[in-house]
Amino acid sequence: MNTKLPTIPSEPASQGPVLRPALVLFAVLTLVTGLLYPLLVTGVAQAVFAHQANGSLIERDGQPVGSALIGQPFAQPEHFWSRPSATGPMAYNAGASSGSNLGPSSPMLAEAVAARLAALRAVDPGNTAPVPVDLVTASASGLDPHISLAAARYQMARVARVRGLAPEAVNALVDQHTEHRLFGFLGEPRVNVLALNLALDTGDNASHRREPS
């Protein structure tokens, strides 16, 4: 039985029929995914979530002073202090988000915690209450803009005393700036430190100042 073998062409077939649709598909996908889709997503974000899409900026007198999503350092006794940051080369560096990566048995971590405890005790020597852990340990991101409600309440007496405010006025501000659990059960109550300190600095609390004795 004779089997006829297929003839192998001596010249390669033209690539035109294959190349043309590939180029058209490339152009269409580039247009859709590289231009139209980003424009659509950006437009929806600006229309519906403009504050979040632009960095959740916090403004004072029309000028941005920070973001509600990124912590800032505060060391003055009249301000609430933020959670420590371990980012480098400076604290709360959004371009180098990271934790310290120090384990519980690390001598360096123990030294850092001891130094932070000493700083808190030095600025408020009469406060003998236990120090909340988030005031002496950094978060995993190093950018945490919040402190726990316990950390805020630990600092209230100091802030009220230094500013000459009635304790109940500072307590009311903390309550106003407390963010509660998402959907009532996710996470823990927390306080945005930058927003709280800006509220303290606005001067709206003059009527709540403690009368001199």
Side-chain angles (χ1 to χ4, degrees):
M1 180 177 178
N2 295 328
T3 302
K4 187 175 181 181
L5 298 175
T7 303
I8 300 176
S10 57
E11 295 183 1
S14 173
Q15 299 298 316
V18 177
L19 187 60
R20 188 177 298 109
L23 291 176
V24 171
L25 184 61
F26 174 77
V28 170
L29 290 176
T30 298
L31 178 65
V32 171
T33 62
L35 183 62
L36 297 181
Y37 179 73
L39 287 176
L40 175 63
V41 172
T42 301
V44 171
Q46 291 296 329
V48 183
F49 308 105
H51 177 67
Q52 294 88 337
N54 291 303
S56 299
L57 298 180
I58 296 178
E59 295 185 351
R60 183 179 185 183
D61 299 327
Q63 298 296 322
V65 294
S67 170
L69 304 177
I70 300 176
Q72 293 188 21
F74 293 95
Q76 303 87 352
E78 66 269 21
H79 285 136
F80 284 85
W81 291 9
S82 304
R83 185 167 189 177
S85 171
T87 65
M90 58 184 180
Y92 310 99
N93 181 4
S97 174
S98 66
S100 67
N101 293 324
L102 299 177
S105 60
S106 169
M108 292 180 62
L109 178 61
E111 292 174 6
V113 169
R116 293 162 184 163
L117 279 171
L120 288 166
R121 297 298 191 194
V123 79
D124 193 12
N127 191 346
T128 58
V131 177
V133 67
D134 53 321
L135 285 179
V136 294
T137 56
S139 64
S141 69
L143 308 177
D144 197 341
H146 300 95
I147 54 176
S148 66
L149 194 53
R153 296 202 185 284
Y154 174 83
Q155 303 181 74
M156 284 194 307
R158 182 198 78 223
V159 172
R161 183 181 68 255
V162 173
R163 288 179 176 266
L165 294 172
E168 54 269 20
V170 178
N171 183 55
L173 275 178
V174 171
D175 288 342
Q176 291 173 18
H177 291 82
T178 297
E179 301 174 19
H180 298 284
R181 293 182 176 93
L182 185 64
F183 304 126
F185 67 94
L186 292 177
E188 293 293 330
R190 57 205 178 277
V191 180
N192 189 290
V193 179
L194 175 59
L196 177 58
N197 282 334
L198 286 176
L200 283 166
D201 289 342
T202 56
D204 295 338
N205 304 290
S207 61
H208 299 291
R209 292 190 180 277
R210 180 188 294 149
E211 292 294 332
S213 56

